[in-house]
Amino acid sequence: MVNILDSPHKRLKCLAAETIANVAKFRRARRAVRHHGGITKLVALLDCVQSSAEPAQSSLYNARDVEVARCVALALWSCSKSYANKETIHKAGGIPLLAHLLKTSHENMLIPVVGTLQECASEEKYRAAIKAERIIENLVKNLNSENEQLQEQCAMAIYQVCITVLMIDACVCEREKPAPTYLDYVHF
């Protein structure tokens, strides 16, 4: 499947990415995709929407590119359930590409893009990158969408970023307090 991602045919790329999205729900499959270089290839395919085709053919290519990006985002969403795959996505430069895709108006593509970001937001590197790329602004903007699934994914992504930051802040505050002793729990 991973080798098919190199195909010049966009429809084949879509089918391969969708298949990877479905099988990557299993841990061994996620690991196999990573070991065969699939994560890096998937991230590279996210760039297809950014590079525009010739103006005369742009609408046809744009629709195909959006479909490729949607399928790739679905595959990355499934693959991002593992820490090692999150690391690989980050090293391959996935955050800036996902941030760019968030600015589009294609709601069917936005849902897996936001899902991938939400899944990865549990890692500190991603939270820093999400802040640096100003992704939160686009997530908040997409909360106004009429698509309930997109609203839900955006809310979950914002929650994941914020709750993790709040939990870290709370832990730091707790560490600054003296540790409770046994006498604190015993009432005389």
Side-chain angles (χ1 to χ4, degrees):
M1 279 295 121
V2 171
N3 292 335
I4 296 173
L5 294 172
D6 294 327
S7 170
H9 304 287
K10 292 182 181 185
R11 187 68 191 136
L12 276 176
K13 289 178 186 182
C14 286
L15 291 172
E18 282 183 324
T19 303
I20 290 170
N22 287 321
V23 299
K25 293 176 181 169
F26 300 101
R27 194 176 101 187
R28 291 179 75 186
R30 288 192 297 269
R31 186 180 317 134
V33 169
R34 184 180 68 251
H35 285 306
H36 289 93
I39 303 289
T40 306
K41 289 180 182 183
L42 288 166
V43 170
L45 285 173
L46 286 177
D47 200 22
C48 69
V49 174
Q50 289 186 357
S51 56
S52 60
E54 296 177 16
Q57 299 174 340
S58 66
S59 63
L60 175 63
Y61 280 105
N62 190 24
R64 288 182 184 165
D65 288 342
V66 167
E67 183 61 16
V68 169
R70 184 192 71 80
C71 295
V72 166
L74 277 172
L76 287 173
W77 190 6
S78 293
C79 289
S80 67
K81 306 269 190 268
S82 87
Y83 174 79
N85 286 353
K86 290 176 192 178
E87 286 290 313
T88 306
I89 292 168
H90 184 71
K91 287 177 185 174
I95 293 292
L97 296 172
L98 290 167
H100 176 76
L101 293 177
L102 263 182
K103 296 173 184 168
T104 68
S105 60
H106 305 284
E107 288 184 351
N108 62 339
M109 181 183 62
L110 286 172
I111 293 167
V113 167
V114 173
T116 304
L117 288 168
Q118 181 259 328
E119 195 67 46
C120 294
S122 62
E123 303 300 323
E124 178 58 38
K125 288 180 190 177
Y126 278 94
R127 287 192 301 275
I130 285 170
K131 290 176 189 171
E133 294 287 334
R134 303 179 70 134
I135 290 174
I136 295 288
E137 293 173 13
N138 289 313
L139 292 173
V140 171
K141 186 174 73 176
N142 285 320
L143 286 173
N144 293 327
S145 168
E146 303 226 350
N147 186 323
E148 288 182 16
Q149 190 178 8
L150 178 58
Q151 288 175 348
E152 181 181 328
Q153 288 301 322
C154 287
M156 288 172 51
I158 293 167
Y159 173 81
Q160 184 68 32
V161 171
C162 294
I163 195 65
T164 308
V165 170
L166 290 174
M167 286 175 25
I168 290 169
D169 290 345
C171 290
V172 170
C173 289
E174 285 295 319
R175 274 192 249 141
E176 292 173 358
K177 294 179 185 176
T181 63
Y182 174 72
L183 294 176
D184 292 334
Y185 296 108
V186 177
H187 300 288
F188 294 102

